[in-house]
Amino acid sequence: MKKTLALALTAILMLTVLLTGCGGSGNNGNNGGTGASNSGNTGNTGGSNAGNSGNTPSDTGSDAGNATDTPSGEVVTLKFGTWNDPVIEQKKIDAFQKLHPNIKVEIDKAVTWPWDEKLGAAAAAGKLPDVFFVFNAPGNVSSNWLADMTPYLKEDPDYNEQNIFGNLSATGQYNGKQFVLPHQLFTMGVLINVDLFNKENVPLPKANWTIDEFEKIAKKLTKPSANQYGVENLFGARETFVPQFDPKLGWLTFDGTQFNFDKPAFSDTIHWINKVVFSDKTSVDQFERKEQDKWYGKDKSGFVMGKVGMKIDANWAFADVQKNAKFKWDFLPIPGKEGQRVPMITDYIGMAKNTKHPKEAMEFIKFLTYSKDGWMERINNIEKPITTMPLLNDREVWDAYMKTTYTAPGLKDVIAGIPNGFVDGYKWLPGDAEIIDKVLNPYDTKKELIMLKVKPEDVAKDIQKKAMDIYNKNKQQIDAATK
């Protein structure tokens, strides 16, 4: 990595530390999420810092009730439930076992998709993996499958919320108890075809660009006669743009306390996407897939094929772009309207409540989440190149990550927005998945909202009521399970 980029990243991460440090636990959901300086997306958490919980393993009882002290030198075997590539996961396990020769980790092959169904079967048989990936944290907590990790985190001098950014760790808390931790991080942004911008004499946008600039650029890059368009993947970007129209809101309009489908930002976002796609006609999304296949190849991305200037995507797309794109590219933050916030997607991991070896299980979870040794090993030796962004708020770790091939110069500006970013609630927010499935999908499947067959402002109050009914029901369930 160039020295200037390293210095820039250092400055950004120093700023990140200051931002998260000043915020303390302020990113937790009970703050109401009303300011741009708050995360605005973690309303179920209750907001207590693990370091202030006052609990210790000896006084919690229930979560560690089946735990037994392991005699010194005895090898403990942990079962691990993971949906990642088993080859990569085994490399992580091997690296962990070198550091902890007294802990053996075995992948539990019985736990696979459908994930919660297989976990439920394992739970019913008393055979939950000691450590497992969590696809539905509220449901898993309500089902009493997950241990409260707070006392173990409190005991560990290497842990505090800011180790993995307060607004990320807070999403795994319920009533102030840490039931899951994020172990993978992805950010949404805009892929840029730098060569196409230069060819069309369009100046590259700056990191703090606006939605209006985005729209103007899309028009300049569009040449229908050449099957060349300004934008790709705008249809699926509604949740990433709502907080740009109203920075007080997070993913799916959640503000830390409630959903806000009846606020103007939800309708404004839908109308704006419709305008870009169907009025401006600058997005390739206006065409059916079979039409795009004729131009770019079956199931090929117009952006990757060099015929689209900008694509809304996440950093998980870097692998495909790096391998298949024959042009210079970059990755910029989502443009803003009334503010500018980074959308994030996280994967979670937790510890079985009935594990007999909680301390050893926590060591393995630490390796995958907030251990500096774990992240450096993953970046430099295991996942080469690594697709997840690091979760550890550490300059050396981020410097190592930025040297990998799955990065882009503009990513440093996306990284700077992590402390103020908002997190997709699908895996952690009570009722989120159900709201998508039962309330929004009936509109989205038929494209009724995005094509304005149904005006969003006409149905917003109905969507809001149904969403809040689902949220409150799920919130009550998880409150009862975690009080």
Side-chain angles (χ1 to χ4, degrees):
M1 180 174 60
K2 294 182 179 179
K3 183 177 182 181
T4 53
L5 180 56
L7 292 173
L9 183 58
T10 298
I12 288 166
L13 288 167
M14 289 178 66
L15 175 61
T16 296
V17 172
L18 289 173
L19 286 170
T20 53
C22 292
S25 298
N27 283 326
N28 294 333
N30 286 345
N31 62 25
T34 56
S37 62
N38 297 324
S39 70
N41 61 73
T42 57
N44 66 310
T45 62
S48 67
N49 188 315
N52 296 324
S53 68
N55 294 323
T56 63
S58 60
D59 64 24
T60 58
S62 59
D63 283 347
N66 297 322
T68 56
D69 289 332
T70 304
S72 178
E74 182 177 331
V75 175
V76 168
T77 298
L78 301 176
K79 290 288 187 176
F80 175 36
T82 171
W83 60 63
N84 279 351
D85 180 351
V87 175
I88 297 296
E89 296 300 90
Q90 189 59 54
K91 290 181 179 179
K92 294 179 192 176
I93 290 169
D94 292 344
F96 171 76
Q97 291 177 157
K98 285 183 180 179
L99 296 173
H100 302 275
N102 64 311
I103 305 175
K104 181 181 179 182
V105 180
E106 297 177 349
I107 294 175
D108 190 339
K109 296 180 181 179
V111 179
T112 182
W113 295 100
W115 198 254
D116 273 13
E117 182 179 316
K118 293 299 178 67
L119 280 178
K127 295 182 178 181
L128 273 174
D130 300 273
V131 175
F132 56 91
F133 285 7
V134 176
F135 191 71
N136 174 12
N140 290 186
V141 172
S142 296
S143 296
N144 212 29
W145 297 347
L146 288 163
D148 173 16
M149 297 185 285
T150 308
Y152 302 98
L153 297 172
K154 181 178 179 291
E155 268 195 343
D156 189 349
D158 292 335
Y159 180 81
N160 64 65
E161 282 187 337
Q162 305 316 320
N163 279 103
I164 49 177
F165 302 107
N167 55 338
L168 300 182
S169 60
T171 59
Q173 295 176 12
Y174 301 91
N175 282 324
K177 300 174 181 179
Q178 195 82 48
F179 286 93
V180 294
L181 284 170
H183 69 95
Q184 295 190 137
L185 170 64
F186 307 95
T187 60
M188 300 291 295
V190 184
L191 289 163
I192 299 288
N193 183 333
V194 175
D195 288 350
L196 189 59
F197 271 70
N198 292 336
K199 175 187 173 184
E200 300 298 340
N201 294 314
V202 177
L204 294 174
K206 295 181 179 179
N208 62 345
W209 58 328
T210 67
I211 281 174
D212 290 340
E213 290 174 310
F214 176 92
E215 190 174 346
K216 291 176 182 177
I217 289 170
K219 290 178 181 178
K220 292 178 181 178
L221 293 174
T222 297
K223 288 185 174 180
S225 60
N227 300 323
Q228 177 179 305
Y229 292 90
V231 189
E232 183 178 345
N233 208 27
L234 197 56
F235 264 170
R238 178 182 62 206
E239 314 312 338
T240 67
F241 276 94
V242 167
Q244 319 309 330
F245 279 82
D246 185 348
K248 296 186 293 297
L249 306 184
W251 208 291
L252 214 65
T253 78
F254 195 71
D255 67 2
T257 303
Q258 66 175 35
F259 292 94
N260 294 273
F261 293 101
D262 54 350
K263 294 288 177 65
F266 178 68
S267 296
D268 289 348
T269 300
I270 292 173
H271 279 283
W272 176 75
I273 292 175
N274 178 275
K275 178 179 183 292
V276 173
V277 177
F278 296 112
S279 296
D280 295 350
K281 298 185 182 300
T282 58
S283 174
V284 73
D285 298 312
Q286 66 188 289
F287 301 102
E288 296 293 334
R289 183 65 248 180
K290 61 182 180 180
E291 192 73 11
Q292 297 181 46
D293 287 347
K294 294 177 184 177
W295 304 334
Y296 313 129
K298 185 171 176 55
D299 297 327
K300 298 285 187 179
S301 161
F303 176 82
V304 174
M305 300 307 292
K307 299 294 287 186
V308 176
M310 302 180 291
K311 183 181 181 182
I312 312 298
D313 215 326
N315 61 294
W316 56 54
F318 289 2
D320 182 41
V321 178
Q322 181 73 19
K323 179 180 179 181
N324 296 309
K326 308 302 181 184
F327 52 82
K328 185 178 180 181
W329 59 278
D330 205 347
F331 188 67
L332 300 183
I334 297 288
K337 180 70 173 179
E338 299 299 330
Q340 194 176 16
R341 298 183 64 200
V342 172
M344 297 180 286
I345 299 169
T346 48
D347 286 329
Y348 297 89
I349 194 168
M351 176 172 67
K353 191 168 186 174
N354 65 352
T355 180
K356 296 184 182 299
H357 307 291
K359 292 184 179 180
E360 290 82 2
M362 281 304 307
E363 284 293 340
F364 186 48
I365 290 173
K366 175 179 179 178
F367 182 81
L368 297 175
T369 57
Y370 65 94
S371 163
K372 183 172 182 176
D373 288 340
W375 279 107
M376 293 299 286
E377 186 70 20
R378 289 174 67 178
I379 293 168
N380 292 327
N381 300 316
I382 298 174
E383 299 168 76
K384 298 189 69 175
I386 190 168
T387 55
T388 173
M389 296 173 72
L391 284 147
L392 191 65
N393 192 1
D394 182 274
R395 181 176 62 87
E396 186 178 356
V397 170
W398 281 95
D399 280 348
Y401 170 74
M402 288 299 289
K403 291 177 182 177
T404 69
T405 58
Y406 280 12
T407 58
L411 190 61
K412 66 183 184 298
D413 297 307
V414 178
I415 293 169
I418 288 176
N420 186 43
F422 58 100
V423 185
D424 179 6
Y426 194 87
K427 298 184 185 75
W428 65 267
L429 183 61
D432 185 285
E434 188 177 348
I435 291 167
I436 292 172
D437 181 47
K438 295 182 179 179
V439 182
L440 291 176
N441 275 355
Y443 292 110
D444 290 341
T445 302
K446 299 177 183 178
K447 297 183 179 178
E448 290 180 327
L449 282 175
I450 203 67
M451 298 184 75
L452 300 183
K453 295 177 181 178
V454 176
K455 297 291 180 65
E457 56 270 25
D458 292 342
V459 296
K461 288 185 178 180
D462 182 57
I463 292 174
Q464 174 68 10
K465 182 183 184 304
K466 290 177 179 177
M468 286 305 298
D469 287 346
I470 292 171
Y471 171 71
N472 288 329
K473 177 192 70 176
N474 283 268
K475 182 71 160 56
Q476 289 170 4
Q477 291 173 352
I478 200 163
D479 284 347
T482 59
K483 63 183 179 180

